[in-house]
Amino acid sequence: MFSSSTYSFVLATSILALSLYESKAQLSTTFYSSTCPNVSTIVSNVVQQALQSDSRIGASLIRLHFHDCFVNGCDASILLDNSSNIQSEKNAGPNVNSTRGFGVVDNIKTAVENSCPGVVSCADILALAAESSVSLSGGPSWNVLLGRRDSLTANQAGANTAIPSPFEGLTNITSKFSAVNLNTQDLVALSGAHTFGRAQCRTFSNRLYNFSGTGNPDPTLNSTYLTTLQQICPQNGAGTTLANLDPTTADGFDNNYFTNLQSNQGLLQSDQELFSTAGAATVSIVNSFASNQSAFFASFAQSMINMGNISPLTGTNGEIRSDCKKVNGS
């Protein structure tokens, strides 16, 4: 028989376990099943339309979700414009003259509002748009957890420090992932999003001519690939010229990113270091994904769900913005 004190302890433990479960379970794949049942289709249709005129928009949309989640959690803070009391994250170093796709997010929001006014958050739209971007480009599909709410403020300073940089070494980037409870498997899987999209010369030209002050190119760059990149990005050329992140299948979502790393054809320093850092735990994961696209797709989908779970606003926290660019009533 339980004593009363034992019973109280068991009950308290059960309540604690339940509350911990509920805090993870506040997001749900069925969150809008009665209030906006067609939201996934609405989002997918707008993304598909955008892809027809802009082949890189899928990569741009998934990047918005990524840069949003790493700063104060997945709360659509990255979408807020400057105002009298908001310093926009759009002007932070990792985002300025770089993040794009805001107009497509507005188009999605308009379409969703026309069907279900005042119901779906901008934060959830970013999560859904990321999934659509991947699945419509040949990548995996997954059931997006929903129920996030939108922030009332932005964190430009946080965006300047929390978002991983293409110039950083693997140790620093791993630390930035750890800070939001993402592990090495997540890091390698999510880096695989660089299987599509473009990067500006300014994000990798340091590897082409004077790497780390050596006066020479990055020794981990394939020499043929180096020549190609030097033609795209001449020394003292325009830093905004674009190169494909994946030189093999530029707009398709596949595992070629990882086979590229094996042949020293990662575009960014932060890409190539996953494979070229001697003794790093990332190397075996790169090899696994390079040899097994299904394993990459399964891991990528799970890691996107993990990233989408970073510190969401739920319940009565935050709001459902009517315009993703500004806080309600402003």
Side-chain angles (χ1 to χ4, degrees):
M1 289 289 289
F2 281 141
S3 70
S4 60
S5 61
T6 307
Y7 177 76
S8 300
F9 173 75
V10 170
L11 184 64
T13 307
S14 303
I15 291 169
L16 175 65
L18 187 64
S19 66
L20 287 173
Y21 172 76
E22 284 176 343
S23 69
K24 285 296 277 188
Q26 283 171 326
L27 299 185
S28 158
T29 58
T30 58
F31 189 82
Y32 298 114
S33 59
S34 60
T35 54
C36 197
N38 297 323
V39 62
S40 296
T41 305
I42 296 168
V43 172
S44 182
N45 287 344
V46 178
V47 173
Q48 190 160 27
Q49 192 176 0
L51 279 166
Q52 288 169 2
S53 58
D54 180 0
S55 61
R56 55 190 283 234
I57 195 64
S60 300
L61 291 170
I62 196 171
R63 187 163 180 252
L64 283 180
H65 183 43
F66 171 45
H67 282 209
D68 179 39
C69 290
F70 266 66
V71 183
N72 289 18
C74 310
D75 62 356
S77 56
I78 194 171
L79 302 178
L80 290 171
D81 283 340
N82 270 333
S83 71
S84 57
N85 58 349
I86 286 173
Q87 278 193 299
S88 177
E89 292 172 22
K90 295 177 184 180
N91 296 325
N95 297 328
V96 68
N97 299 320
S98 172
T99 46
R100 58 194 298 277
F102 298 106
V104 176
V105 174
D106 288 339
N107 292 345
I108 296 170
K109 180 65 171 172
T110 299
V112 171
E113 288 295 306
N114 287 342
S115 184
C116 328
V119 170
V120 179
S121 68
C122 300
D124 279 345
I125 283 172
L126 287 178
L128 287 163
E131 192 279 337
S132 295
S133 297
V134 172
S135 59
L136 290 169
S137 303
S141 300
W142 61 94
N143 292 321
V144 180
L145 290 167
L146 300 165
R148 300 168 193 81
R149 289 166 66 84
D150 298 324
S151 71
L152 304 175
T153 187
N155 184 359
Q156 188 184 106
N160 276 318
T161 56
I163 296 171
S165 153
F167 310 110
E168 284 185 296
L170 183 56
T171 303
N172 281 12
I173 290 177
T174 302
S175 296
K176 288 185 174 182
F177 273 74
S178 297
V180 289
N181 291 322
L182 296 176
N183 63 23
T184 304
Q185 180 93 0
D186 297 315
L187 164 58
V188 180
L190 293 171
S191 295
H194 286 172
T195 179
F196 64 173
R198 317 280 180 268
Q200 297 179 37
C201 288
R202 64 187 175 95
T203 62
F204 60 87
S205 57
N206 65 307
R207 302 183 69 206
L208 308 184
Y209 302 102
N210 182 21
F211 183 64
S212 299
T214 60
N216 294 307
D218 184 338
T220 64
L221 255 176
N222 175 295
S223 56
T224 309
Y225 188 44
L226 170 65
T227 303
T228 302
L229 293 176
Q230 287 175 331
Q231 288 168 350
I232 296 169
C233 307
Q235 204 160 9
N236 305 317
T240 53
T241 304
L242 297 171
N244 295 325
L245 281 159
D246 176 354
T248 52
T249 50
D251 297 320
F253 198 99
D254 51 36
N255 69 333
N256 287 0
Y257 168 83
F258 298 102
T259 54
N260 294 339
L261 296 185
Q262 290 176 322
S263 56
N264 291 330
Q265 293 187 86
L267 184 62
L268 307 178
Q269 177 187 342
S270 54
D271 292 323
Q272 193 58 49
E273 288 213 5
L274 298 176
F275 183 73
S276 297
T277 304
T282 53
V283 178
S284 62
I285 306 173
V286 170
N287 289 333
S288 164
F289 292 163
S291 64
N292 187 336
Q293 182 168 277
S294 298
F296 164 50
F297 278 11
S299 278
F300 184 83
Q302 184 57 56
S303 291
M304 285 296 293
I305 291 167
N306 296 345
M307 185 178 79
N309 276 331
I310 300 172
S311 306
L313 296 169
T314 57
T316 56
N317 294 317
E319 66 180 13
I320 306 297
R321 280 183 221 146
S322 53
D323 178 345
C324 291
K325 297 184 295 296
K326 57 188 184 184
V327 174
N328 292 343
S330 63

